[in-house]
Amino acid sequence: MREEHIIDALNLLDTDIIEETDAIRSNPIRSKPERIRKHTWKWVAAASTLAAACLAMVIYAGNRHLPQEPANTVKQEENLPMLIIAENTSDDMGFEGYRAYDISELVNNNPWGWEEQPTTLPVYKNQLSVDENFHLVGADFGKMRELLDEIVERFGLDTNTLQITDDTPDEETRQEITAKLDGDVPDGYFDPTKLIAKAEGIEITVFQDMSVTVEFEPAISLPKKYNFSYSASYEETTEVAKYLQKKYSDFIHMENPQINIYDGHYDYDLQRNYQISFFDAGKNITEAIINYNFNWVGFYCDDDGKLCLTSTRQPDLSQKIGNYPIITEGEAKDLLLKGNCITTVPYGLPEENYIAKTELVYRTGSREQYFMPYYRFYVELPEEESDGMKTYGAYYVPAVEEKYISNMPLWDGSFD
């Protein structure tokens, strides 16, 4: 199944298709092929569906695009601006949860646990915003085109052989949509949301949030000795990652690439699922943390165990707000138990003994007002346990000191 373009999606002009098209234009992540979403989505326990995982799967990661920090712990800046927490930024349905028999089965190579951690971390202003119609605005199509050209170059493609378009509807389609909506078309509804480059066997798409998908048709076979499938074990997945790192070293283009075998949740068939990505360790722990969250390279298989897609997100981090002091994990736990958190879990606040795991991450969704660090707590949900299988819900506590947050979130159990 290939990604549907807006013109194709609107051919029948039924109300449901109009609504679905609006959702796709507002949320580029949902436009991934179904076969890829099957493998990359998180377990969504409340809705019994799968929610998109890992937010952004990145294929482009040069250190030169990363604001350089001189040391592991960067100096706190004076007169730091107050930060606003945007709580309703999720594009997914259901809640963020992970199924496993034990929390140790959920794995990753988050550098937050590597060594002594920084006492400050940078916060960035998201260049995108959401208008009154819930559409992303503020995209820089010039930078999108630069990113497209960069990806094309990394694949060694000739720009003269590429067909480059966007998803702007043609005039006939615009008129039909306008008539269908009785002339009440939201401002900017027909604006382009992505750039598309096509050549034989490959399609590259760059979205407003600087995410990129690269789809191969036909999919690329790996040597027979590698098991690049949904059923591959952790060890088999690691061997595939080593092969991909060598095979696509020019494309990965990192000075010190780190393999990140992550996930490990169980799907409906009780099969564990692992993902492959790479990120650059950088020059210090701060750079490693930023690269891990924003600049990483992922490879994905189809149902036949072939390489069918890579996906990237390289958000614009040029507007740095400052280096903010970070609270400790213990301080964050205290805030969690008081309800100072963001979550999509539809149950009451957890008891302390159900907190199973903690890690520091950035929330990197395209609808975040600021890209800032959070502690993510994996909390066992007793309401979801079945036959020994547990579900761990995700709760996010701001890692920045509370005095710099103007609206510390307080969860009341409501999703209205």
Side-chain angles (χ1 to χ4, degrees):
M1 180 185 300
R2 295 183 66 83
E3 179 186 8
E4 295 181 349
H5 295 171
I6 184 171
I7 296 176
D8 298 326
L10 292 174
N11 279 340
L12 298 179
L13 293 174
D14 290 334
T15 300
D16 290 345
I17 296 178
I18 293 286
E19 293 175 352
E20 176 65 16
T21 298
D22 181 71
I24 292 174
R25 292 176 69 82
S26 301
N27 178 13
I29 298 301
R30 292 183 183 271
S31 63
K32 292 179 183 176
E34 181 66 27
R35 66 186 181 191
I36 303 305
R37 295 204 306 264
K38 173 184 176 183
H39 188 42
T40 60
W41 281 9
K42 305 185 197 106
W43 177 266
V44 178
S48 295
T49 60
L50 294 177
C54 311
L55 297 179
M57 298 170 293
V58 182
I59 55 174
Y60 178 68
N63 258 351
R64 57 193 176 85
H65 296 289
L66 176 68
Q68 300 295 310
E69 304 293 355
N72 284 10
T73 300
V74 292
K75 182 179 179 180
Q76 178 183 338
E77 299 170 5
E78 302 296 333
N79 302 317
L80 291 169
M82 298 292 288
L83 301 174
I84 299 174
I85 302 294
E87 298 188 42
N88 299 317
T89 60
S90 175
D91 292 321
D92 303 330
M93 298 182 65
F95 70 84
E96 183 183 355
Y98 305 83
R99 295 209 328 160
Y101 289 105
D102 186 79
I103 191 62
S104 62
E105 295 180 301
L106 302 177
V107 297
N108 60 43
N109 190 21
N110 190 337
W112 178 72
W114 284 0
E115 57 184 77
E116 183 179 356
Q117 299 305 302
T119 58
T120 64
L121 282 172
V123 173
Y124 307 97
K125 179 73 172 64
N126 186 0
Q127 304 300 302
L128 297 178
S129 59
V130 181
D131 65 15
E132 63 276 9
N133 298 310
F134 303 101
H135 293 162
L136 291 176
V137 296
D140 187 330
F141 272 78
K143 290 184 178 180
M144 290 169 62
R145 179 55 193 266
E146 290 176 2
L147 179 56
L148 178 63
D149 292 342
E150 179 73 21
I151 299 301
V152 167
E153 181 180 350
R154 288 179 182 274
F155 275 99
L157 300 175
D158 183 355
T159 56
N160 295 323
T161 66
L162 295 176
Q163 176 188 357
I164 300 177
T165 60
D166 59 37
D167 63 339
T168 303
D170 60 28
E171 184 60 32
E172 180 180 356
T173 304
R174 290 163 62 102
Q175 292 178 2
E176 291 176 353
I177 295 172
T178 302
K180 182 71 174 181
L181 299 178
D182 295 326
D184 188 19
V185 179
D187 291 340
Y189 186 81
F190 297 128
D191 291 347
T193 64
K194 54 191 174 184
L195 296 176
I196 305 159
K198 294 182 180 180
E200 184 177 357
I202 191 170
E203 179 174 312
I204 303 171
T205 305
V206 180
F207 298 96
Q208 290 173 291
D209 63 351
M210 303 295 282
S211 62
V212 179
T213 60
V214 181
E215 189 172 1
F216 305 106
E217 184 61 45
I220 301 172
S221 297
L222 272 62
K224 292 183 178 181
K225 66 178 181 178
Y226 295 108
N227 181 9
F228 188 28
S229 70
Y230 304 143
S231 62
S233 68
Y234 183 91
E235 292 74 18
E236 289 172 327
T237 305
T238 300
E239 290 305 309
V240 171
K242 293 178 180 178
Y243 166 79
L244 293 171
Q245 180 178 352
K246 183 177 180 180
K247 178 71 174 180
Y248 294 95
S249 59
D250 290 340
F251 172 63
I252 294 173
H253 194 64
M254 297 179 186
E255 292 184 5
N256 187 10
Q258 305 295 306
I259 294 175
N260 181 28
I261 308 300
Y262 66 96
D263 205 342
H265 80 277
Y266 287 81
D267 61 20
Y268 284 105
D269 299 321
L270 298 184
Q271 175 65 56
R272 291 185 74 182
N273 289 269
Y274 296 102
Q275 305 288 335
I276 296 173
S277 70
F278 301 89
F279 67 96
D280 200 318
K283 298 182 178 62
N284 53 59
I285 189 62
T286 298
E287 287 190 6
I289 290 173
I290 297 302
N291 281 329
Y292 173 81
N293 286 276
F294 293 101
N295 301 310
W296 49 276
V297 174
F299 297 86
Y300 308 91
C301 68
D302 64 9
D303 293 334
D304 298 320
K306 298 178 180 180
L307 175 63
C308 65
L309 182 139
T310 60
S311 180
T312 183
R313 178 140 183 265
Q314 184 198 318
D316 186 349
L317 303 182
S318 61
Q319 191 172 341
K320 178 179 171 181
I321 304 300
N323 297 314
Y324 284 76
I326 303 303
I327 63 175
T328 66
E329 179 183 348
E331 291 170 325
K333 181 184 293 186
D334 291 339
L335 290 173
L336 171 66
L337 296 174
K338 292 191 298 183
N340 298 127
C341 62
I342 298 172
T343 186
T344 52
V345 176
Y347 302 113
L349 285 171
E351 297 179 12
E352 184 172 1
N353 61 301
Y354 286 110
I355 299 174
K357 180 180 177 180
T358 312
E359 63 178 342
L360 187 142
V361 298
Y362 277 75
R363 286 172 64 90
T364 61
S366 60
R367 297 174 185 270
E368 298 289 334
Q369 185 169 352
Y370 296 99
F371 297 135
M372 57 184 291
Y374 289 79
Y375 284 99
R376 176 163 60 194
F377 290 88
Y378 296 80
V379 178
E380 181 183 339
L381 307 176
E383 300 90 341
E384 294 290 327
E385 184 172 354
S386 177
D387 297 326
M389 181 68 72
K390 300 175 182 179
T391 297
Y392 297 92
Y395 294 76
Y396 294 84
V397 174
V400 171
E401 285 188 3
E402 185 174 356
K403 67 180 180 180
Y404 295 105
I405 298 175
S406 63
N407 62 332
M408 175 64 77
L410 180 62
W411 186 68
D412 60 3
S414 173
F415 293 92
D416 297 334

